[in-house]
Amino acid sequence: MVKTNKLAFYILLSIALALFAVTLILLFVPEPKPVTITEKFYIDNNNELHGTIRNDSGKDITFTQSRQQITVSMHVHHSAGNYWYDTDYDIFYEAITLKAGESYKINLPLDTNLDKIEITKVSAQLRKEDYSVGYTLYGNAVNNGTFAIIAVFIGSAGFLFLVGAISNLVGNVIIAKRANGIINDISQRFNGAIYASGYYGNKKQERSDATKTAVSLIGAAATASVFGIGFYRDYPGKPRRDFVICDNALFQVYGKKREYFDIMPQLKENFANAEIVEKRNKLTMTGADGTSYITFTVRDGEKQKLTKALNKLFKNNT
């Protein structure tokens, strides 16, 4: 019986799981930030905001009202008007420089008409070279900085590898089921027949098809860059085939109904006296034109039997 080949599935699945693990690490391990909250922000009975931050950037940071800033987002209830709304409070209204490693204690008076206040987020807007970067210091269980952006790409790649692993497994299960069905057929229909999977192709034509597909993809990409949409044609590669080798016939098995067609008449001239090359569990015959070939992959222990059968079929066709 032919066993389902699961090697590629295990490899793809392992890669997918590794990428998912990296994604979780990037999402839930805190991203290093230049500013750290060392004392939790809270609001006292006098409607004053308190908390402590520390400069962990390794260099001095100057906070100003219009450039580098720490902002506290709140969900508040206005007692006089009896309504809820969201608002932001900037911590720094004058230039204050925090040296590397220095802490700053916050004492900020809020609107006295607020009787219910919930701090929802604390963020920092800092300059980095010639651009500004936003950091969430409090408010998100999942970081939303560079780590999260990288995690999206890695997680997407992991998903694609997972889909590939499942597709590969399903495809190989179908292939194994079909092969075993053929083996069961020939055990009843043909005495001593050999089942082999493989390919029947032409190297020159395959190179031509690969070139046409590449050109078509380049054309589609160029069209898409100009018009926003592009189409390409995928020229067929070599399809996998099922062969049954008998004493006086070489069948190819077609379709879901597993119909048998003797392809020996179309092969005998080009493959007469063809040299059979062995490599692992695979046998390859190259046609007289130098580009046509047939490969046969057989189960363990059947390679010598297949070699003998092929020699009997083709060595006599001189």
Side-chain angles (χ1 to χ4, degrees):
M1 300 295 286
V2 175
K3 296 180 180 180
T4 301
N5 185 351
K6 298 181 180 179
L7 178 60
F9 167 73
Y10 288 133
I11 292 174
L12 293 172
L13 181 62
S14 298
I15 295 173
L17 293 176
L19 291 174
F20 287 143
V22 173
T23 300
L24 292 176
I25 292 171
L26 289 172
L27 284 176
F28 294 102
V29 170
E31 182 177 355
K33 297 180 176 68
V35 176
T36 304
I37 297 176
T38 57
E39 180 188 4
K40 185 177 179 180
F41 281 52
Y42 68 96
I43 298 163
D44 64 17
N45 294 329
N46 297 319
N47 271 18
E48 285 192 354
L49 174 67
H50 301 281
T52 304
I53 60 173
R54 184 178 64 222
N55 176 9
D56 288 332
S57 67
K59 59 183 180 181
D60 296 354
I61 298 179
T62 298
F63 293 96
T64 64
Q65 185 174 5
S66 59
R67 290 177 67 83
Q68 304 199 114
Q69 184 62 262
I70 302 294
T71 301
V72 181
S73 301
M74 303 180 188
H75 186 59
V76 300
H77 181 260
H78 196 281
S79 57
N82 192 26
Y83 60 89
W84 288 89
Y85 65 98
D86 295 314
T87 186
D88 293 330
Y89 279 88
D90 291 336
I91 301 300
F92 299 100
Y93 286 90
E94 58 183 23
I96 294 178
T97 299
L98 289 186
K99 296 185 178 299
E102 184 179 359
S103 296
Y104 180 82
K105 190 170 182 63
I106 296 165
N107 297 288
L108 179 67
L110 305 178
D111 187 346
T112 56
N113 288 318
L114 304 179
D115 61 345
K116 296 178 183 178
I117 306 173
E118 177 187 354
I119 298 173
T120 57
K121 188 176 182 180
V122 179
S123 58
Q125 195 71 24
L126 305 174
R127 298 292 296 178
K128 186 174 183 180
E129 298 175 355
D130 58 347
Y131 58 93
S132 184
V133 180
Y135 298 89
T136 298
L137 308 182
Y138 166 81
N140 285 351
V142 176
N143 74 74
N144 65 343
T146 305
F147 280 18
I149 296 173
I150 297 173
V152 169
F153 287 102
I154 293 179
S156 299
F159 176 75
L160 292 177
F161 273 101
L162 179 61
V163 171
I166 295 172
S167 299
N168 179 272
L169 179 62
V170 171
N172 283 328
V173 167
I174 293 173
I175 288 172
K177 183 177 180 181
R178 175 179 173 83
N180 289 321
I182 295 172
I183 291 170
N184 184 58
D185 284 345
I186 64 178
S187 67
Q188 301 177 39
R189 297 175 57 178
F190 306 102
N191 183 27
I194 305 166
Y195 166 77
S197 62
Y199 300 93
Y200 172 28
N202 184 288
K203 296 177 183 178
K204 185 177 179 180
Q205 183 61 46
E206 288 164 6
R207 286 194 295 268
S208 175
D209 288 343
T211 301
K212 290 178 182 178
T213 299
V215 171
S216 180
L217 282 169
I218 293 171
T223 305
S225 66
V226 176
F227 300 105
I229 188 171
F231 299 94
Y232 74 94
R233 180 177 177 182
D234 185 10
Y235 290 84
K238 56 182 183 181
R240 179 187 175 281
R241 301 172 187 255
D242 295 298
F243 300 109
V244 172
I245 302 90
C246 300
D247 289 340
N248 57 358
L250 194 159
F251 294 99
Q252 184 175 335
V253 186
Y254 291 91
K256 294 182 178 180
K257 294 182 179 180
R258 299 200 292 265
E259 297 176 308
Y260 290 71
F261 292 91
D262 185 4
I263 60 174
M264 188 64 195
Q266 72 186 63
L267 300 179
K268 63 180 182 179
E269 182 176 350
N270 192 24
F271 288 92
N273 296 311
E275 181 183 3
I276 300 173
V277 178
E278 298 183 11
K279 188 175 182 181
R280 299 187 181 90
N281 66 331
K282 186 181 297 182
L283 302 179
T284 300
M285 295 195 313
T286 301
D289 57 6
T291 59
S292 298
Y293 68 92
I294 306 176
T295 62
F296 301 92
T297 302
V298 291
R299 293 175 290 170
D300 295 339
E302 288 197 329
K303 187 165 61 174
Q304 289 185 349
K305 183 180 177 183
L306 176 60
T307 302
K308 184 177 179 180
L310 292 173
N311 280 326
K312 184 176 180 181
L313 284 172
F314 291 98
K315 291 299 183 182
N316 294 327
N317 295 316
T318 56

